[in-house]
Amino acid sequence: MEAIIIVIFSFILLSCILAGYSILWALLFGYLMFFGYALRQGHTPVQVLTMSGRGIRTIKNILFIFILIGMITAVWRACGTIPFIIYHMSGLLIPSVFILIVFLLCCFISLLTGTSFGTAATIGIICMSIAKANGIDPTFTGGAILSGIYFGDRCSPMSTSALLIS
């Protein structure tokens, strides 16, 4: 039964993504499905809500960090920081070492901020835009971005992934 619910949830989540709907609808539907499953297993509604509250309290710091990441990326996009950096960095581009520079830059930003998601959403977009504008293979650029953000995140003392795991 658990596998069926997870498959249904995954299908609805994928459908929302492909249809362009907010994934919040899929998450809400998934929560209701899992809530119903817990009731079917013999838990009372109060017990299920208590378990949900404990789970949220466990990850509240990570949720707060994700909200801050979303805010900073929105502010950077709204105020033109990303196009500004792309414009000025394009002139400094050295094609022969671009992939290495992308990797090191993503490592450094991720190490400083402690977030792989925030680094990908900010400097990762900048690096990919510069690569596309200069005809550099996006596959290699994407690999350098992902490698850099996760390497830096794992080395960071304030890593959101490490906080989530702990």
Side-chain angles (χ1 to χ4, degrees), residues 35 79 90 94 107 120:
F35 193 93
C79 70
S90 292
I94 303 169
C107 281

Side-chain angles (χ1 to χ4, degrees), residues 6-124:
I6 290 174
V7 167
I8 292 170
F9 172 67
S10 300
F11 175 75
I12 291 171
L13 184 62
L14 187 62
S15 298
C16 281
I17 292 169
L18 293 176
Y21 295 121
S22 173
I23 62 168
L24 292 176
W25 293 112
L27 295 174
L28 177 65
F29 183 76
Y31 179 75
L32 293 175
M33 278 191 339
F34 290 117
F35 193 93
Y37 178 73
L39 293 176
R40 190 164 187 256
Q41 291 295 333
H43 297 284
T44 66
V46 173
Q47 288 175 321
V48 177
L49 289 173
T50 303
M51 288 186 277
S52 298
R54 267 186 282 159
I56 291 171
R57 275 192 303 279
T58 302
I59 61 164
K60 73 177 183 270
N61 292 337
I62 289 121
L63 291 175
F64 183 68
I65 290 170
F66 284 152
I67 289 169
L68 291 175
I69 291 167
M71 290 169 57
I72 194 170
T73 57
V75 167
W76 278 22
R77 288 180 183 164
C79 70
T81 302
I82 293 175
F84 177 82
I85 294 172
I86 292 169
Y87 176 77
H88 289 288
M89 292 307 293
S90 292
L92 302 174
L93 178 67
I94 303 169
S96 60
V97 292
F98 179 74
I99 300 299
L100 177 62
I101 290 170
V102 167
F103 172 76
L104 293 174
L105 182 62
C106 288
C107 281
F108 181 69
I109 299 297
S110 188
L111 178 73
L112 287 178
T113 61
T115 172
S116 54
F117 293 116
T119 305
T122 54
I123 202 72

